[in-house]
Amino acid sequence: MSAQKLKIGCAGLGRMGKRHALNFLERTPRAELVAASSPDDAELEWAKVHLAPYGVKLYKNYDDMLKHEGLEAVVVASATAVHAEQAIKAIDANKHVLCEKPLSTSVEISQTVLDAAARKPELKVMCGFSRRFDASYRDAHKKMTQGSIGSPSVMRSQTCDKLDPTGFFVAYAEFSGGIFVDCSIHDIDLALWFFGQDSKVKSVSAVGITAVEPDLRKHNDRDNAVGLVEFYNGKIAYFYASRMMAAGQEDTTEIIGTQGKLTVNAQPAMNLVNIFDNTGVRREIPQHYYDRFEYAFVTEANEFTASCLDNKDVPLKLEGAVQAVRIGSALQESLITGQKIFFDEAGNRVDKPRL
């Protein structure tokens, strides 16, 4: 008798949806991709070539895919605007859910996913923060928990995308929730992981500029921004987000402790090749986010599948996804208003008079 496989469907076949679909189809031995959906005709044409020949049933309507016979789980990789709606529909249909980040650009809507999951505790519901599954970040976290740098006190982390001259980021900003909710959400999640999921935010502040894409201001967004988060446990996190890196993707993290520090990807590199030519010595770096974290997404798919089949806890708590959106949204608000935002230890916004 063959081993049980998790029957999974993929919602959304855009850039990220294609990657998830292929990972579950080709690189997750304990999963079987049985269905995929997209309202976009071009995406369905891609799926007819890359998925349908392997027995994957294609649907134009997401609700129809949820009715696919034997479907047990759904990966939601569609547009951010429908993440929460599709995740809740899947939960209500008794399907396990892996949802791409963020759950929503709204704290309140993100909370509705958490509430829906709480009503079905037998289901595995997870938000996919890919860096939690990266071997280097996991190694750094293990070393930190073993006490190699003393008490972690300061984090500096960045998500810096390669410059896209097509204007993609301007169009995307209308729906993304802003650079902190879209880009820095990964770094925010890392801060909650390394500092502890129970870390309470004391204040947030942010500044930003439009160095290459002034039209971003029409959507209350920036192409470069810096955010500072102060926690009640005496720790601070500094986030840098950018849309204009010339050489390629630069996602770097530094965790500074009382007895040392850890860095992840401080000198980005595509591989171990150095190029020696008449320009000097150089190396190529990943061009896009997926280039850097390809294998993290594969690990994520396999560990989510194992959680569903073996009835284990998912690798990260869904509450953290709501916390990350709450912090990212506050940073975006501070970026727009220029005001520092304060919270009490219960997580409520408070007014703090200037002295």
Side-chain angles (χ1 to χ4, degrees), residues 56-286:
V56 180
K57 174 74 173 177
L58 304 181
Y59 295 89
K60 194 173 181 69
N61 184 279
Y62 173 73
D63 293 345
D64 290 338
M65 187 189 77
L66 287 180
K67 299 173 186 175
H68 184 92
E69 186 177 357
L71 187 71
E72 298 171 290
V74 174
V75 54
V76 176
S78 44
T80 300
V82 296
H83 279 184
E85 175 189 348
Q86 291 189 340
I88 291 171
K89 283 184 175 181
I91 293 167
D92 289 343
N94 295 313
K95 313 301 181 190
H96 304 294
V97 177
L98 169 58
C99 183
E100 255 302 321
K101 65 82 193 168
L103 293 177
S104 168
T105 58
S106 157
V107 177
E108 291 75 20
I109 296 176
S110 297
Q111 182 64 42
T112 63
V113 181
L114 186 61
D115 294 340
R119 293 193 294 270
K120 299 284 184 75
E122 70 278 10
L123 296 177
K124 308 302 177 183
V125 183
M126 186 176 88
C127 186
F129 285 105
S130 49
R131 292 183 206 181
R132 296 252 192 156
F133 301 89
D134 177 69
S136 295
Y137 277 105
R138 285 186 164 184
D139 186 44
H141 189 269
K142 179 180 178 181
K143 287 179 168 58
M144 182 202 72
T145 56
Q146 291 173 339
S148 63
I149 61 169
S151 175
S153 303
V154 179
M155 171 180 279
R156 295 192 295 201
S157 195
Q158 67 179 46
T159 299
C160 296
D161 292 330
K162 184 178 181 180
L163 174 65
D164 185 339
T166 67
F168 165 80
F169 287 123
V170 176
Y172 181 54
E174 185 177 355
F175 313 102
S176 71
I179 196 166
F180 283 113
V181 174
D182 179 56
C183 268
S184 296
I185 201 83
H186 287 292
D187 307 284
I188 294 166
D189 178 66
L190 287 175
L192 293 171
W193 187 26
F194 279 82
F195 287 165
Q197 205 71 54
D198 58 349
S199 297
K200 307 294 185 184
V201 175
K202 186 176 183 180
S203 71
V204 305
S205 57
V207 294
I209 58 173
T210 48
V212 294
E213 295 284 6
D215 286 346
L216 282 169
R217 289 182 176 269
K218 294 187 297 187
H219 303 297
N220 283 329
D221 207 7
R222 309 291 187 267
D223 53 34
N224 284 266
V226 171
L228 186 66
V229 178
E230 178 186 15
F231 295 92
Y232 273 102
N233 57 9
K235 305 178 190 300
I236 57 174
Y238 167 104
F239 304 125
Y240 171 44
S242 177
R243 304 288 201 188
M244 68 169 203
M245 293 296 103
Q249 191 77 22
E250 294 186 36
D251 301 321
T252 303
T253 301
E254 183 178 31
I255 306 101
I256 304 165
T258 54
Q259 297 174 23
K261 72 176 182 179
L262 296 162
T263 65
V264 180
N265 203 40
Q267 295 183 316
M270 178 67 79
N271 51 39
L272 299 179
V273 176
N274 285 329
I275 304 164
F276 295 74
D277 58 21
N278 59 7
T279 66
V281 182
R282 57 190 173 86
R283 62 180 174 273
E284 296 174 337
I285 72 172

Side-chain angles (χ1 to χ4, degrees), residues 19 249 270 285-295:
R19 292 163 178 165
Q249 191 77 22
M270 178 67 79
I285 72 172
Q287 294 300 288
H288 303 287
Y289 188 86
Y290 194 72
D291 294 339
R292 166 65 181 88
F293 293 104
E294 175 184 354
Y295 293 100

